[in-house]
Amino acid sequence: MEEAVKKRAEIHYRKMTEMPVNKLILSLCVPTVISMLITTIYNAADTYFVSKISVSASGAVGILFSLMAILQAFGFMCGHGSGSWISRLLGAREIERARQYSTTGFAMAFLMGIFSCFLVFG
């Protein structure tokens, strides 16, 4: 099992260091763009169907969509900040420190989200 993990890590390292930048950016951004499109389409469909109920229900969905965007912004902030350090550490092959930054970035995003929910709903 350990050998398979090392082999996969080596493949990813080669991909990140040897693949042409244009192809690498496209291969990394496509899943993110698709995810954001699905979220936007879901929210638009949700707003459409809820607007059939009443105007106030449609307004509530609009407010919650804005709150969701704020929570996502906090998550993106933690992700981009830790991602910068993680990429540097992976380039230096300091995998354990990169894992620590990854865990810290995730925990901070989670805690900021919980804190934001308490501010809004508490």
Side-chain angles (χ1 to χ4, degrees):
M1 184 78 173
E2 182 71 25
E3 189 64 35
V5 172
K6 286 183 181 181
K7 186 175 183 181
R8 192 172 63 181
E10 184 63 32
I11 290 170
H12 287 301
Y13 182 80
R14 283 193 187 142
K15 175 183 174 183
M16 298 296 284
T17 57
E18 295 174 5
M19 183 182 268
V21 174
N22 294 340
K23 289 182 181 180
L24 183 62
I25 289 173
L26 282 176
S27 72
L28 294 174
C29 78
V30 168
T32 302
V33 169
I34 290 172
S35 171
M36 292 174 83
L37 282 173
I38 288 172
T39 302
T40 302
I41 291 168
Y42 169 80
N43 286 320
D46 192 33
T47 302
Y48 172 77
F49 287 111
V50 170
S51 70
K52 300 285 186 186
I53 298 171
S54 69
V55 174
S56 61
S58 180
V61 170
I63 290 170
L64 288 176
F65 180 68
S66 300
L67 290 174
M68 186 181 75
I70 291 169
L71 291 175
Q72 284 179 337
F74 282 124
F76 289 151
M77 177 181 68
C78 294
H80 288 277
S82 62
S84 174
W85 277 104
I86 290 168
S87 63
R88 293 175 188 160
L89 292 170
L90 289 176
R93 295 206 178 227
E94 295 183 36
I95 295 173
E96 194 54 41
R97 282 189 63 202
R99 285 185 180 141
Q100 290 172 352
Y101 273 86
S102 174
T103 303
T104 303
F106 176 79
M108 288 302 297
F110 183 76
L111 292 174
M112 289 175 96
I114 296 295
F115 181 71
S116 298
C117 285
F118 280 122
L119 282 177
V120 171
F121 299 113

